[in-house]
Amino acid sequence: MTTHGFTITAEGPFDFDASLRFLEDWPATSALPSDGRAMRFAYCAESDWLPIGVTVTGAPGGVAVATTRPAGPGIRGEVARILSLDVDGAGFAKLGEADPVLGDLQRRSPGLRPVCFWSPWEAACWAVIVQRSSMLIASRIKQRIADRYGAKVTVGGQAYPAFPPPVSLLEAGGLGLPAQKEEWLRGLARAALDGVLTTEHLRALDPQDALAELRALPGVGPFSAGLILIRGAGAPDAFPGDEPRLFAILREAYGLAEDAPPSAYRKLAEAWRPYRSWASFLFRASSYGTADGRD
């Protein structure tokens, strides 16, 4: 099969191997089997909702990317967003110089940047599927939906299903989910087709406005809104300010009082601008030995 290639150069520290190790243990995205050297995934590109297979390997100063169909600027931008290579990270290390706690995390995981969902649409679907469910069960349901309704893409010589685009789920029959969740997914599909669940739209808004707009979508609460904006759209400088698990990690790391109000955490995060999402990601990643650390 013909493949098409391009490279992406990282601005600032970046460790592809760290991103690959993270993805190998993160079930939410349904990444394809890894050989420890290449990152492979199949998804419906946000730029045209058509399926595409992607293989990413490390390269000097960035990554080399091979795709199963020609990749225009839209797809190139999507791959860069997935690996947080669409952001100049040169200033992130400087934050650690002023914040020893964050600096310690950066030294333990040098060059690790947030790894995102393939699209905000897929992040939103995951946020609904995983509600009141374990990560393992949710990942199996998500894969079952892809198997039934997603188009097959050949990557590395094997055919894999991509998670279906919005129009497919809007028209799908039973998804194997509770009726309420299925209705929520169809509502999200309509929002995606209206252009709401796109990187371009969400990152054009002020983060607080984007979070408020996302919380108005069916089945999307405060935590899910933050997940979609930060790990879906890849917004580099957002801090939801109402995430109990992140609060618990920060409380222990900075010695905050058990009854510290949300404003205390928001004040702490102010020092991380313009990389609040990146700093929060490192703190979450530091707790990923727990069962719920990768939601």
mmCIF file with all atom_site columns, all heavy atoms in Angstrom, residues 127-153:
data_model
loop_
_atom_site.group_PDB
_atom_site.id
_atom_site.type_symbol
_atom_site.label_atom_id
_atom_site.label_alt_id
_atom_site.label_comp_id
_atom_site.label_asym_id
_atom_site.label_entity_id
_atom_site.label_seq_id
_atom_site.pdbx_PDB_ins_code
_atom_site.Cartn_x
_atom_site.Cartn_y
_atom_site.Cartn_z
_atom_site.occupancy
_atom_site.B_iso_or_equiv
_atom_site.pdbx_formal_charge
_atom_site.auth_seq_id
_atom_site.auth_comp_id
_atom_site.auth_asym_id
_atom_site.auth_atom_id
_atom_site.pdbx_PDB_model_num
ATOM 1   N N   . ALA A 1 127 ? -15.815 10.473 26.889 1.00 0.00 ? 127 ALA A N   1
ATOM 2   C CA  . ALA A 1 127 ? -16.275 11.062 28.147 1.00 0.00 ? 127 ALA A CA  1
ATOM 3   C C   . ALA A 1 127 ? -17.653 10.538 28.525 1.00 0.00 ? 127 ALA A C   1
ATOM 4   O O   . ALA A 1 127 ? -17.952 10.347 29.711 1.00 0.00 ? 127 ALA A O   1
ATOM 5   C CB  . ALA A 1 127 ? -16.286 12.588 28.035 1.00 0.00 ? 127 ALA A CB  1
ATOM 6   N N   . VAL A 1 128 ? -18.504 10.292 27.529 1.00 0.00 ? 128 VAL A N   1
ATOM 7   C CA  . VAL A 1 128 ? -19.837 9.746  27.796 1.00 0.00 ? 128 VAL A CA  1
ATOM 8   C C   . VAL A 1 128 ? -19.761 8.251  28.076 1.00 0.00 ? 128 VAL A C   1
ATOM 9   O O   . VAL A 1 128 ? -20.355 7.744  29.032 1.00 0.00 ? 128 VAL A O   1
ATOM 10  C CB  . VAL A 1 128 ? -20.783 10.024 26.606 1.00 0.00 ? 128 VAL A CB  1
ATOM 11  C CG1 . VAL A 1 128 ? -22.039 9.168  26.710 1.00 0.00 ? 128 VAL A CG1 1
ATOM 12  C CG2 . VAL A 1 128 ? -21.155 11.500 26.582 1.00 0.00 ? 128 VAL A CG2 1
ATOM 13  N N   . ILE A 1 129 ? -19.020 7.521  27.262 1.00 0.00 ? 129 ILE A N   1
ATOM 14  C CA  . ILE A 1 129 ? -18.953 6.067  27.407 1.00 0.00 ? 129 ILE A CA  1
ATOM 15  C C   . ILE A 1 129 ? -18.378 5.668  28.769 1.00 0.00 ? 129 ILE A C   1
ATOM 16  O O   . ILE A 1 129 ? -18.835 4.716  29.399 1.00 0.00 ? 129 ILE A O   1
ATOM 17  C CB  . ILE A 1 129 ? -18.105 5.456  26.268 1.00 0.00 ? 129 ILE A CB  1
ATOM 18  C CG1 . ILE A 1 129 ? -18.816 5.645  24.922 1.00 0.00 ? 129 ILE A CG1 1
ATOM 19  C CG2 . ILE A 1 129 ? -17.845 3.978  26.508 1.00 0.00 ? 129 ILE A CG2 1
ATOM 20  C CD1 . ILE A 1 129 ? -17.953 5.321  23.720 1.00 0.00 ? 129 ILE A CD1 1
ATOM 21  N N   . VAL A 1 130 ? -17.373 6.403  29.251 1.00 0.00 ? 130 VAL A N   1
ATOM 22  C CA  . VAL A 1 130 ? -16.673 5.998  30.471 1.00 0.00 ? 130 VAL A CA  1
ATOM 23  C C   . VAL A 1 130 ? -17.415 6.392  31.749 1.00 0.00 ? 130 VAL A C   1
ATOM 24  O O   . VAL A 1 130 ? -17.068 5.918  32.828 1.00 0.00 ? 130 VAL A O   1
ATOM 25  C CB  . VAL A 1 130 ? -15.236 6.592  30.467 1.00 0.00 ? 130 VAL A CB  1
ATOM 26  C CG1 . VAL A 1 130 ? -15.246 8.058  30.895 1.00 0.00 ? 130 VAL A CG1 1
ATOM 27  C CG2 . VAL A 1 130 ? -14.303 5.770  31.359 1.00 0.00 ? 130 VAL A CG2 1
ATOM 28  N N   . GLN A 1 131 ? -18.426 7.230  31.632 1.00 0.00 ? 131 GLN A N   1
ATOM 29  C CA  . GLN A 1 131 ? -19.154 7.656  32.835 1.00 0.00 ? 131 GLN A CA  1
ATOM 30  C C   . GLN A 1 131 ? -19.741 6.447  33.564 1.00 0.00 ? 131 GLN A C   1
ATOM 31  O O   . GLN A 1 131 ? -20.403 5.603  32.976 1.00 0.00 ? 131 GLN A O   1
ATOM 32  C CB  . GLN A 1 131 ? -20.275 8.628  32.462 1.00 0.00 ? 131 GLN A CB  1
ATOM 33  C CG  . GLN A 1 131 ? -19.788 10.015 32.093 1.00 0.00 ? 131 GLN A CG  1
ATOM 34  C CD  . GLN A 1 131 ? -20.928 10.955 31.785 1.00 0.00 ? 131 GLN A CD  1
ATOM 35  O OE1 . GLN A 1 131 ? -22.000 10.869 32.368 1.00 0.00 ? 131 GLN A OE1 1
ATOM 36  N NE2 . GLN A 1 131 ? -20.708 11.875 30.853 1.00 0.00 ? 131 GLN A NE2 1
ATOM 37  N N   . ARG A 1 132 ? -19.470 6.392  34.890 1.00 0.00 ? 132 ARG A N   1
ATOM 38  C CA  . ARG A 1 132 ? -19.964 5.319  35.755 1.00 0.00 ? 132 ARG A CA  1
ATOM 39  C C   . ARG A 1 132 ? -19.548 3.945  35.233 1.00 0.00 ? 132 ARG A C   1
ATOM 40  O O   . ARG A 1 132 ? -20.291 2.960  35.367 1.00 0.00 ? 132 ARG A O   1
ATOM 41  C CB  . ARG A 1 132 ? -21.487 5.394  35.903 1.00 0.00 ? 132 ARG A CB  1
ATOM 42  C CG  . ARG A 1 132 ? -21.937 6.685  36.566 1.00 0.00 ? 132 ARG A CG  1
ATOM 43  C CD  . ARG A 1 132 ? -23.438 6.784  36.646 1.00 0.00 ? 132 ARG A CD  1
ATOM 44  N NE  . ARG A 1 132 ? -23.847 8.045  37.258 1.00 0.00 ? 132 ARG A NE  1
ATOM 45  C CZ  . ARG A 1 132 ? -25.094 8.459  37.327 1.00 0.00 ? 132 ARG A CZ  1
ATOM 46  N NH1 . ARG A 1 132 ? -26.068 7.720  36.823 1.00 0.00 ? 132 ARG A NH1 1
ATOM 47  N NH2 . ARG A 1 132 ? -25.401 9.621  37.892 1.00 0.00 ? 132 ARG A NH2 1
ATOM 48  N N   . SER A 1 133 ? -18.379 3.880  34.630 1.00 0.00 ? 133 SER A N   1
ATOM 49  C CA  . SER A 1 133 ? -17.859 2.628  34.097 1.00 0.00 ? 133 SER A CA  1
ATOM 50  C C   . SER A 1 133 ? -16.360 2.579  34.357 1.00 0.00 ? 133 SER A C   1
ATOM 51  O O   . SER A 1 133 ? -15.723 3.618  34.569 1.00 0.00 ? 133 SER A O   1
ATOM 52  C CB  . SER A 1 133 ? -18.128 2.536  32.592 1.00 0.00 ? 133 SER A CB  1
ATOM 53  O OG  . SER A 1 133 ? -17.558 1.377  32.033 1.00 0.00 ? 133 SER A OG  1
ATOM 54  N N   . SER A 1 134 ? -15.783 1.398  34.327 1.00 0.00 ? 134 SER A N   1
ATOM 55  C CA  . SER A 1 134 ? -14.337 1.283  34.455 1.00 0.00 ? 134 SER A CA  1
ATOM 56  C C   . SER A 1 134 ? -13.682 1.611  33.119 1.00 0.00 ? 134 SER A C   1
ATOM 57  O O   . SER A 1 134 ? -14.307 1.526  32.060 1.00 0.00 ? 134 SER A O   1
ATOM 58  C CB  . SER A 1 134 ? -13.950 -0.133 34.887 1.00 0.00 ? 134 SER A CB  1
ATOM 59  O OG  . SER A 1 134 ? -14.145 -1.045 33.822 1.00 0.00 ? 134 SER A OG  1
ATOM 60  N N   . MET A 1 135 ? -12.399 1.968  33.180 1.00 0.00 ? 135 MET A N   1
ATOM 61  C CA  . MET A 1 135 ? -11.664 2.255  31.953 1.00 0.00 ? 135 MET A CA  1
ATOM 62  C C   . MET A 1 135 ? -11.649 1.037  31.030 1.00 0.00 ? 135 MET A C   1
ATOM 63  O O   . MET A 1 135 ? -11.805 1.165  29.818 1.00 0.00 ? 135 MET A O   1
ATOM 64  C CB  . MET A 1 135 ? -10.232 2.661  32.310 1.00 0.00 ? 135 MET A CB  1
ATOM 65  C CG  . MET A 1 135 ? -10.114 3.960  33.084 1.00 0.00 ? 135 MET A CG  1
ATOM 66  S SD  . MET A 1 135 ? -10.266 5.375  31.999 1.00 0.00 ? 135 MET A SD  1
ATOM 67  C CE  . MET A 1 135 ? -8.655  5.333  31.224 1.00 0.00 ? 135 MET A CE  1
ATOM 68  N N   . LEU A 1 136 ? -11.458 -0.137 31.602 1.00 0.00 ? 136 LEU A N   1
ATOM 69  C CA  . LEU A 1 136 ? -11.355 -1.347 30.798 1.00 0.00 ? 136 LEU A CA  1
ATOM 70  C C   . LEU A 1 136 ? -12.662 -1.637 30.071 1.00 0.00 ? 136 LEU A C   1
ATOM 71  O O   . LEU A 1 136 ? -12.675 -1.903 28.866 1.00 0.00 ? 136 LEU A O   1
ATOM 72  C CB  . LEU A 1 136 ? -10.973 -2.530 31.689 1.00 0.00 ? 136 LEU A CB  1
ATOM 73  C CG  . LEU A 1 136 ? -10.822 -3.883 30.982 1.00 0.00 ? 136 LEU A CG  1
ATOM 74  C CD1 . LEU A 1 136 ? -9.768  -3.813 29.887 1.00 0.00 ? 136 LEU A CD1 1
ATOM 75  C CD2 . LEU A 1 136 ? -10.490 -4.974 31.985 1.00 0.00 ? 136 LEU A CD2 1
ATOM 76  N N   . ILE A 1 137 ? -13.781 -1.582 30.800 1.00 0.00 ? 137 ILE A N   1
ATOM 77  C CA  . ILE A 1 137 ? -15.078 -1.843 30.175 1.00 0.00 ? 137 ILE A CA  1
ATOM 78  C C   . ILE A 1 137 ? -15.382 -0.782 29.126 1.00 0.00 ? 137 ILE A C   1
ATOM 79  O O   . ILE A 1 137 ? -15.861 -1.090 28.027 1.00 0.00 ? 137 ILE A O   1
ATOM 80  C CB  . ILE A 1 137 ? -16.183 -1.897 31.243 1.00 0.00 ? 137 ILE A CB  1
ATOM 81  C CG1 . ILE A 1 137 ? -15.996 -3.135 32.125 1.00 0.00 ? 137 ILE A CG1 1
ATOM 82  C CG2 . ILE A 1 137 ? -17.558 -1.904 30.596 1.00 0.00 ? 137 ILE A CG2 1
ATOM 83  C CD1 . ILE A 1 137 ? -16.956 -3.204 33.295 1.00 0.00 ? 137 ILE A CD1 1
ATOM 84  N N   . ALA A 1 138 ? -15.107 0.481  29.450 1.00 0.00 ? 138 ALA A N   1
ATOM 85  C CA  . ALA A 1 138 ? -15.377 1.561  28.496 1.00 0.00 ? 138 ALA A CA  1
ATOM 86  C C   . ALA A 1 138 ? -14.562 1.397  27.223 1.00 0.00 ? 138 ALA A C   1
ATOM 87  O O   . ALA A 1 138 ? -15.063 1.620  26.111 1.00 0.00 ? 138 ALA A O   1
ATOM 88  C CB  . ALA A 1 138 ? -15.084 2.909  29.151 1.00 0.00 ? 138 ALA A CB  1
ATOM 89  N N   . SER A 1 139 ? -13.298 1.003  27.361 1.00 0.00 ? 139 SER A N   1
ATOM 90  C CA  . SER A 1 139 ? -12.462 0.833  26.171 1.00 0.00 ? 139 SER A CA  1
ATOM 91  C C   . SER A 1 139 ? -12.977 -0.301 25.296 1.00 0.00 ? 139 SER A C   1
ATOM 92  O O   . SER A 1 139 ? -12.926 -0.228 24.061 1.00 0.00 ? 139 SER A O   1
ATOM 93  C CB  . SER A 1 139 ? -11.003 0.586  26.573 1.00 0.00 ? 139 SER A CB  1
ATOM 94  O OG  . SER A 1 139 ? -10.861 -0.626 27.267 1.00 0.00 ? 139 SER A OG  1
ATOM 95  N N   . ARG A 1 140 ? -13.519 -1.358 25.920 1.00 0.00 ? 140 ARG A N   1
ATOM 96  C CA  . ARG A 1 140 ? -14.080 -2.461 25.144 1.00 0.00 ? 140 ARG A CA  1
ATOM 97  C C   . ARG A 1 140 ? -15.344 -2.035 24.409 1.00 0.00 ? 140 ARG A C   1
ATOM 98  O O   . ARG A 1 140 ? -15.562 -2.407 23.247 1.00 0.00 ? 140 ARG A O   1
ATOM 99  C CB  . ARG A 1 140 ? -14.385 -3.640 26.073 1.00 0.00 ? 140 ARG A CB  1
ATOM 100 C CG  . ARG A 1 140 ? -13.135 -4.358 26.583 1.00 0.00 ? 140 ARG A CG  1
ATOM 101 C CD  . ARG A 1 140 ? -13.486 -5.409 27.617 1.00 0.00 ? 140 ARG A CD  1
ATOM 102 N NE  . ARG A 1 140 ? -12.311 -6.155 28.060 1.00 0.00 ? 140 ARG A NE  1
ATOM 103 C CZ  . ARG A 1 140 ? -12.301 -6.979 29.085 1.00 0.00 ? 140 ARG A CZ  1
ATOM 104 N NH1 . ARG A 1 140 ? -13.427 -7.175 29.786 1.00 0.00 ? 140 ARG A NH1 1
ATOM 105 N NH2 . ARG A 1 140 ? -11.201 -7.615 29.444 1.00 0.00 ? 140 ARG A NH2 1
ATOM 106 N N   . ILE A 1 141 ? -16.177 -1.231 25.066 1.00 0.00 ? 141 ILE A N   1
ATOM 107 C CA  . ILE A 1 141 ? -17.391 -0.744 24.410 1.00 0.00 ? 141 ILE A CA  1
ATOM 108 C C   . ILE A 1 141 ? -17.035 0.163  23.243 1.00 0.00 ? 141 ILE A C   1
ATOM 109 O O   . ILE A 1 141 ? -17.607 0.062  22.151 1.00 0.00 ? 141 ILE A O   1
ATOM 110 C CB  . ILE A 1 141 ? -18.286 -0.008 25.426 1.00 0.00 ? 141 ILE A CB  1
ATOM 111 C CG1 . ILE A 1 141 ? -18.829 -0.984 26.468 1.00 0.00 ? 141 ILE A CG1 1
ATOM 112 C CG2 . ILE A 1 141 ? -19.433 0.713  24.711 1.00 0.00 ? 141 ILE A CG2 1
ATOM 113 C CD1 . ILE A 1 141 ? -19.558 -0.319 27.611 1.00 0.00 ? 141 ILE A CD1 1
ATOM 114 N N   . LYS A 1 142 ? -16.080 1.049  23.468 1.00 0.00 ? 142 LYS A N   1
ATOM 115 C CA  . LYS A 1 142 ? -15.657 1.961  22.407 1.00 0.00 ? 142 LYS A CA  1
ATOM 116 C C   . LYS A 1 142 ? -15.098 1.182  21.225 1.00 0.00 ? 142 LYS A C   1
ATOM 117 O O   . LYS A 1 142 ? -15.383 1.508  20.060 1.00 0.00 ? 142 LYS A O   1
ATOM 118 C CB  . LYS A 1 142 ? -14.603 2.931  22.959 1.00 0.00 ? 142 LYS A CB  1
ATOM 119 C CG  . LYS A 1 142 ? -14.097 3.964  21.969 1.00 0.00 ? 142 LYS A CG  1
ATOM 120 C CD  . LYS A 1 142 ? -13.259 4.990  22.710 1.00 0.00 ? 142 LYS A CD  1
ATOM 121 C CE  . LYS A 1 142 ? -12.649 6.006  21.761 1.00 0.00 ? 142 LYS A CE  1
ATOM 122 N NZ  . LYS A 1 142 ? -11.488 5.442  21.036 1.00 0.00 ? 142 LYS A NZ  1
ATOM 123 N N   . GLN A 1 143 ? -14.328 0.131  21.497 1.00 0.00 ? 143 GLN A N   1
ATOM 124 C CA  . GLN A 1 143 ? -13.774 -0.679 20.420 1.00 0.00 ? 143 GLN A CA  1
ATOM 125 C C   . GLN A 1 143 ? -14.887 -1.424 19.688 1.00 0.00 ? 143 GLN A C   1
ATOM 126 O O   . GLN A 1 143 ? -14.856 -1.559 18.459 1.00 0.00 ? 143 GLN A O   1
ATOM 127 C CB  . GLN A 1 143 ? -12.769 -1.677 20.989 1.00 0.00 ? 143 GLN A CB  1
ATOM 128 C CG  . GLN A 1 143 ? -12.027 -2.485 19.920 1.00 0.00 ? 143 GLN A CG  1
ATOM 129 C CD  . GLN A 1 143 ? -11.222 -1.599 18.995 1.00 0.00 ? 143 GLN A CD  1
ATOM 130 O OE1 . GLN A 1 143 ? -10.454 -0.746 19.446 1.00 0.00 ? 143 GLN A OE1 1
ATOM 131 N NE2 . GLN A 1 143 ? -11.394 -1.778 17.691 1.00 0.00 ? 143 GLN A NE2 1
ATOM 132 N N   . ARG A 1 144 ? -15.889 -1.893 20.425 1.00 0.00 ? 144 ARG A N   1
ATOM 133 C CA  . ARG A 1 144 ? -17.008 -2.609 19.805 1.00 0.00 ? 144 ARG A CA  1
ATOM 134 C C   . ARG A 1 144 ? -17.782 -1.685 18.863 1.00 0.00 ? 144 ARG A C   1
ATOM 135 O O   . ARG A 1 144 ? -18.212 -2.105 17.783 1.00 0.00 ? 144 ARG A O   1
ATOM 136 C CB  . ARG A 1 144 ? -17.925 -3.169 20.885 1.00 0.00 ? 144 ARG A CB  1
ATOM 137 C CG  . ARG A 1 144 ? -18.975 -4.123 20.350 1.00 0.00 ? 144 ARG A CG  1
ATOM 138 C CD  . ARG A 1 144 ? -19.603 -4.954 21.462 1.00 0.00 ? 144 ARG A CD  1
ATOM 139 N NE  . ARG A 1 144 ? -20.333 -4.121 22.419 1.00 0.00 ? 144 ARG A NE  1
ATOM 140 C CZ  . ARG A 1 144 ? -20.086 -4.101 23.728 1.00 0.00 ? 144 ARG A CZ  1
ATOM 141 N NH1 . ARG A 1 144 ? -19.116 -4.829 24.245 1.00 0.00 ? 144 ARG A NH1 1
ATOM 142 N NH2 . ARG A 1 144 ? -20.809 -3.338 24.529 1.00 0.00 ? 144 ARG A NH2 1
ATOM 143 N N   . ILE A 1 145 ? -17.954 -0.433 19.264 1.00 0.00 ? 145 ILE A N   1
ATOM 144 C CA  . ILE A 1 145 ? -18.633 0.539  18.393 1.00 0.00 ? 145 ILE A CA  1
ATOM 145 C C   . ILE A 1 145 ? -17.815 0.754  17.125 1.00 0.00 ? 145 ILE A C   1
ATOM 146 O O   . ILE A 1 145 ? -18.360 0.826  16.009 1.00 0.00 ? 145 ILE A O   1
ATOM 147 C CB  . ILE A 1 145 ? -18.857 1.863  19.143 1.00 0.00 ? 145 ILE A CB  1
ATOM 148 C CG1 . ILE A 1 145 ? -19.878 1.657  20.268 1.00 0.00 ? 145 ILE A CG1 1
ATOM 149 C CG2 . ILE A 1 145 ? -19.341 2.947  18.184 1.00 0.00 ? 145 ILE A CG2 1
ATOM 150 C CD1 . ILE A 1 145 ? -20.026 2.860  21.182 1.00 0.00 ? 145 ILE A CD1 1
ATOM 151 N N   . ALA A 1 146 ? -16.492 0.855  17.274 1.00 0.00 ? 146 ALA A N   1
ATOM 152 C CA  . ALA A 1 146 ? -15.617 1.031  16.110 1.00 0.00 ? 146 ALA A CA  1
ATOM 153 C C   . ALA A 1 146 ? -15.693 -0.187 15.193 1.00 0.00 ? 146 ALA A C   1
ATOM 154 O O   . ALA A 1 146 ? -15.769 -0.056 13.959 1.00 0.00 ? 146 ALA A O   1
ATOM 155 C CB  . ALA A 1 146 ? -14.185 1.271  16.563 1.00 0.00 ? 146 ALA A CB  1
ATOM 156 N N   . ASP A 1 147 ? -15.685 -1.381 15.777 1.00 0.00 ? 147 ASP A N   1
ATOM 157 C CA  . ASP A 1 147 ? -15.758 -2.598 14.971 1.00 0.00 ? 147 ASP A CA  1
ATOM 158 C C   . ASP A 1 147 ? -17.046 -2.654 14.151 1.00 0.00 ? 147 ASP A C   1
ATOM 159 O O   . ASP A 1 147 ? -17.046 -3.108 13.002 1.00 0.00 ? 147 ASP A O   1
ATOM 160 C CB  . ASP A 1 147 ? -15.681 -3.837 15.872 1.00 0.00 ? 147 ASP A CB  1
ATOM 161 C CG  . ASP A 1 147 ? -14.312 -4.029 16.499 1.00 0.00 ? 147 ASP A CG  1
ATOM 162 O OD1 . ASP A 1 147 ? -13.331 -3.496 15.948 1.00 0.00 ? 147 ASP A OD1 1
ATOM 163 O OD2 . ASP A 1 147 ? -14.224 -4.700 17.539 1.00 0.00 ? 147 ASP A OD2 1
ATOM 164 N N   . ARG A 1 148 ? -18.136 -2.197 14.747 1.00 0.00 ? 148 ARG A N   1
ATOM 165 C CA  . ARG A 1 148 ? -19.441 -2.327 14.091 1.00 0.00 ? 148 ARG A CA  1
ATOM 166 C C   . ARG A 1 148 ? -19.722 -1.211 13.090 1.00 0.00 ? 148 ARG A C   1
ATOM 167 O O   . ARG A 1 148 ? -20.300 -1.461 12.020 1.00 0.00 ? 148 ARG A O   1
ATOM 168 C CB  . ARG A 1 148 ? -20.542 -2.356 15.151 1.00 0.00 ? 148 ARG A CB  1
ATOM 169 C CG  . ARG A 1 148 ? -21.932 -2.577 14.571 1.00 0.00 ? 148 ARG A CG  1
ATOM 170 C CD  . ARG A 1 148 ? -22.957 -2.805 15.650 1.00 0.00 ? 148 ARG A CD  1
ATOM 171 N NE  . ARG A 1 148 ? -24.281 -3.052 15.088 1.00 0.00 ? 148 ARG A NE  1
ATOM 172 C CZ  . ARG A 1 148 ? -25.370 -3.257 15.813 1.00 0.00 ? 148 ARG A CZ  1
ATOM 173 N NH1 . ARG A 1 148 ? -25.293 -3.278 17.141 1.00 0.00 ? 148 ARG A NH1 1
ATOM 174 N NH2 . ARG A 1 148 ? -26.539 -3.465 15.233 1.00 0.00 ? 148 ARG A NH2 1
ATOM 175 N N   . TYR A 1 149 ? -19.297 0.008  13.426 1.00 0.00 ? 149 TYR A N   1
ATOM 176 C CA  . TYR A 1 149 ? -19.703 1.158  12.602 1.00 0.00 ? 149 TYR A CA  1
ATOM 177 C C   . TYR A 1 149 ? -18.542 1.912  11.950 1.00 0.00 ? 149 TYR A C   1
ATOM 178 O O   . TYR A 1 149 ? -18.777 2.806  11.135 1.00 0.00 ? 149 TYR A O   1
ATOM 179 C CB  . TYR A 1 149 ? -20.508 2.145  13.450 1.00 0.00 ? 149 TYR A CB  1
ATOM 180 C CG  . TYR A 1 149 ? -21.796 1.576  13.971 1.00 0.00 ? 149 TYR A CG  1
ATOM 181 C CD1 . TYR A 1 149 ? -21.944 1.220  15.313 1.00 0.00 ? 149 TYR A CD1 1
ATOM 182 C CD2 . TYR A 1 149 ? -22.881 1.362  13.126 1.00 0.00 ? 149 TYR A CD2 1
ATOM 183 C CE1 . TYR A 1 149 ? -23.134 0.690  15.800 1.00 0.00 ? 149 TYR A CE1 1
ATOM 184 C CE2 . TYR A 1 149 ? -24.071 0.826  13.603 1.00 0.00 ? 149 TYR A CE2 1
ATOM 185 C CZ  . TYR A 1 149 ? -24.188 0.490  14.936 1.00 0.00 ? 149 TYR A CZ  1
ATOM 186 O OH  . TYR A 1 149 ? -25.358 -0.042 15.411 1.00 0.00 ? 149 TYR A OH  1
ATOM 187 N N   . GLY A 1 150 ? -17.303 1.569  12.317 1.00 0.00 ? 150 GLY A N   1
ATOM 188 C CA  . GLY A 1 150 ? -16.166 2.300  11.775 1.00 0.00 ? 150 GLY A CA  1
ATOM 189 C C   . GLY A 1 150 ? -15.637 1.691  10.483 1.00 0.00 ? 150 GLY A C   1
ATOM 190 O O   . GLY A 1 150 ? -15.755 0.488  10.240 1.00 0.00 ? 150 GLY A O   1
ATOM 191 N N   . ALA A 1 151 ? -15.030 2.530  9.662  1.00 0.00 ? 151 ALA A N   1
ATOM 192 C CA  . ALA A 1 151 ? -14.416 2.062  8.418  1.00 0.00 ? 151 ALA A CA  1
ATOM 193 C C   . ALA A 1 151 ? -13.056 1.437  8.731  1.00 0.00 ? 151 ALA A C   1
ATOM 194 O O   . ALA A 1 151 ? -12.360 1.861  9.654  1.00 0.00 ? 151 ALA A O   1
ATOM 195 C CB  . ALA A 1 151 ? -14.239 3.224  7.445  1.00 0.00 ? 151 ALA A CB  1
ATOM 196 N N   . LYS A 1 152 ? -12.677 0.423  7.946  1.00 0.00 ? 152 LYS A N   1
ATOM 197 C CA  . LYS A 1 152 ? -11.406 -0.257 8.139  1.00 0.00 ? 152 LYS A CA  1
ATOM 198 C C   . LYS A 1 152 ? -10.286 0.505  7.426  1.00 0.00 ? 152 LYS A C   1
ATOM 199 O O   . LYS A 1 152 ? -10.465 1.002  6.309  1.00 0.00 ? 152 LYS A O   1
ATOM 200 C CB  . LYS A 1 152 ? -11.471 -1.684 7.602  1.00 0.00 ? 152 LYS A CB  1
ATOM 201 C CG  . LYS A 1 152 ? -12.452 -2.591 8.342  1.00 0.00 ? 152 LYS A CG  1
ATOM 202 C CD  . LYS A 1 152 ? -11.989 -2.896 9.755  1.00 0.00 ? 152 LYS A CD  1
ATOM 203 C CE  . LYS A 1 152 ? -12.749 -4.075 10.371 1.00 0.00 ? 152 LYS A CE  1
ATOM 204 N NZ  . LYS A 1 152 ? -14.191 -3.823 10.482 1.00 0.00 ? 152 LYS A NZ  1
ATOM 205 N N   . VAL A 1 153 ? -9.140  0.570  8.092  1.00 0.00 ? 153 VAL A N   1
ATOM 206 C CA  . VAL A 1 153 ? -7.950  1.201  7.533  1.00 0.00 ? 153 VAL A CA  1
ATOM 207 C C   . VAL A 1 153 ? -6.789  0.226  7.696  1.00 0.00 ? 153 VAL A C   1
ATOM 208 O O   . VAL A 1 153 ? -6.616  -0.356 8.768  1.00 0.00 ? 153 VAL A O   1
ATOM 209 C CB  . VAL A 1 153 ? -7.610  2.522  8.256  1.00 0.00 ? 153 VAL A CB  1
ATOM 210 C CG1 . VAL A 1 153 ? -6.413  3.189  7.597  1.00 0.00 ? 153 VAL A CG1 1
ATOM 211 C CG2 . VAL A 1 153 ? -8.804  3.470  8.257  1.00 0.00 ? 153 VAL A CG2 1
#
